[in-house]
Amino acid sequence: MTAAAAPQSAPLSLPSHFWADLSTRDFAALQHSGQADQVVAVLPLAAVEQHGPHLPLSVDATLLQGVIDAALPQLPADLPVLFLPSQNVGLSPEHIRFPGTLTLSPATVIALWTEIGECVARAGVKKLLLFNGHGGQVSVMDIVARELRTRCDLIVYSASWFSLPLPEAVAGQFSAQEHRFGIHAGEIETSMMLHLAPGTVHMEHARDFRSTSQDRSERYAILGNGKSAKLGWQMQDYHPAGAVGNAAGATADKGQAVVDAAAGQLVALLQELVHLPLQTVRPETE
């Protein structure tokens, strides 16, 4: 006689892709069924900070939400992904010399994101993606990810929409110089805003904001190579207008291409995370 096949667990069905749309009964049912550990939670992390004379303070939050909104229709209904409430005020001390910027301290940001992650773990969820829209937060995500791995045995990955691989047909619409130096309110971000929120963009104030980092790259082999040494900077150190990159070259069509491509890569990333084995982290050593 052949052994009976092990019963297959029922496909996981969530009433929404948004954490806050579920009830506490939904989470209790997930825990009772043993399926909570199939879920990937996503914590969107943005910022409210100056973006030069031509863009609003909402850029990082708008771009991040725009990528998420473009990804949602592509997510399979049965993909167990839950987006947590967006954290739109983050770590932006490099912009505080410009009026309107909001920022928390590093200690507050680390504590806030870590405590949200601990709530995720208490719900029985084992995987968390920190999904970011602000370059100044990348190093802090590393700290939070390791804290949650240590405290909760969570599988935590961090990613930024701008770190996702773009097809050459999209990336190639911007020069290599713009990809490297146009990191804040330049051609890419301005193009995306022209697509997502054109009424907030003032192109009459946009221009090619040359970064001092570009000057250093031409003068210093080590300090300026973009890899070997990193400056502790404030935004005005790169350009007194608070922007870098060729914002004047932005178009809505380029922006839509970036948003759509990043959304597709986010969907692919989430599918990989869903299938990533829980044994990726090991609670005990040998």
Side-chain angles (χ1 to χ4, degrees):
M1 295 178 62
T2 59
Q8 298 293 315
S9 59
L12 180 55
S13 177
L14 298 172
S16 170
H17 280 308
F18 294 97
W19 184 285
D21 284 350
L22 275 64
S23 71
T24 190
R25 290 182 293 101
D26 293 320
F27 281 103
L30 282 172
Q31 291 178 335
H32 182 73
S33 68
Q35 293 182 305
D37 61 8
Q38 299 178 30
V39 174
V40 173
V42 182
L43 182 59
L45 306 172
V48 177
E49 61 185 35
Q50 73 82 30
H51 275 75
H54 62 296
L55 294 177
L57 277 67
S58 62
V59 168
D60 290 341
T62 298
L63 301 190
L64 186 69
Q65 192 61 50
V67 171
I68 291 171
D69 288 345
L72 284 167
Q74 303 179 48
L75 287 177
D78 60 351
L79 194 70
V81 170
L82 290 174
F83 286 87
L84 291 150
S86 297
Q87 303 300 299
N88 285 340
V89 177
L91 183 66
S92 303
E94 68 273 26
H95 298 282
I96 59 173
R97 304 295 174 89
F98 295 87
T101 294
L102 303 179
T103 188
L104 303 173
S105 70
T108 298
V109 168
I110 291 169
L112 174 62
W113 297 351
T114 302
E115 289 181 23
I116 292 173
E118 289 175 328
C119 294
V120 168
R122 282 196 294 272
V125 174
K126 300 294 187 184
K127 299 176 184 176
L128 174 65
L129 172 65
L130 305 174
F131 189 53
N132 175 54
H134 169 41
Q137 294 175 161
V138 171
S139 58
V140 184
M141 290 195 297
D142 290 340
I143 296 171
V144 172
R146 286 193 294 270
E147 280 294 297
L148 290 170
R149 165 64 186 91
T150 301
R151 297 186 190 186
C152 306
D153 287 333
L154 274 178
I155 297 175
V156 185
Y157 272 84
S158 59
S160 304
W161 70 258
F162 46 82
S163 69
L164 297 173
L166 298 179
E168 179 54 37
V170 176
Q173 296 186 52
F174 307 93
S175 68
Q177 176 176 291
E178 190 67 21
H179 279 292
R180 178 175 174 186
F181 299 108
I183 61 170
H184 191 74
E187 186 177 3
I188 296 174
E189 288 193 330
T190 303
S191 292
M192 294 171 74
M193 288 297 289
L194 284 171
H195 167 57
L196 293 169
T200 68
V201 181
H202 296 276
M203 288 300 290
E204 70 273 18
H205 297 300
R207 63 183 193 270
D208 188 353
F209 302 96
R210 181 181 172 89
S211 174
T212 61
S213 182
Q214 187 173 343
D215 298 332
R216 284 187 292 278
S217 74
E218 296 171 356
R219 294 183 60 190
Y220 302 107
I222 297 176
L223 285 179
N225 68 21
K227 299 176 183 178
S228 301
K230 189 172 183 180
L231 174 69
W233 53 276
Q234 287 259 296
M235 191 61 217
Q236 68 271 17
D237 300 336
Y238 286 144
H239 196 288
V244 287
N246 185 20
T251 70
D253 286 344
K254 292 178 185 176
Q256 181 174 2
V258 175
V259 170
D260 290 345
Q265 291 300 307
L266 173 58
V267 172
L269 171 61
L270 291 172
Q271 289 173 320
E272 291 183 7
L273 281 172
V274 166
H275 292 102
L276 189 71
L278 293 177
Q279 293 75 20
T280 299
V281 300
R282 299 179 180 182
E284 305 295 339
T285 60
E286 292 183 356

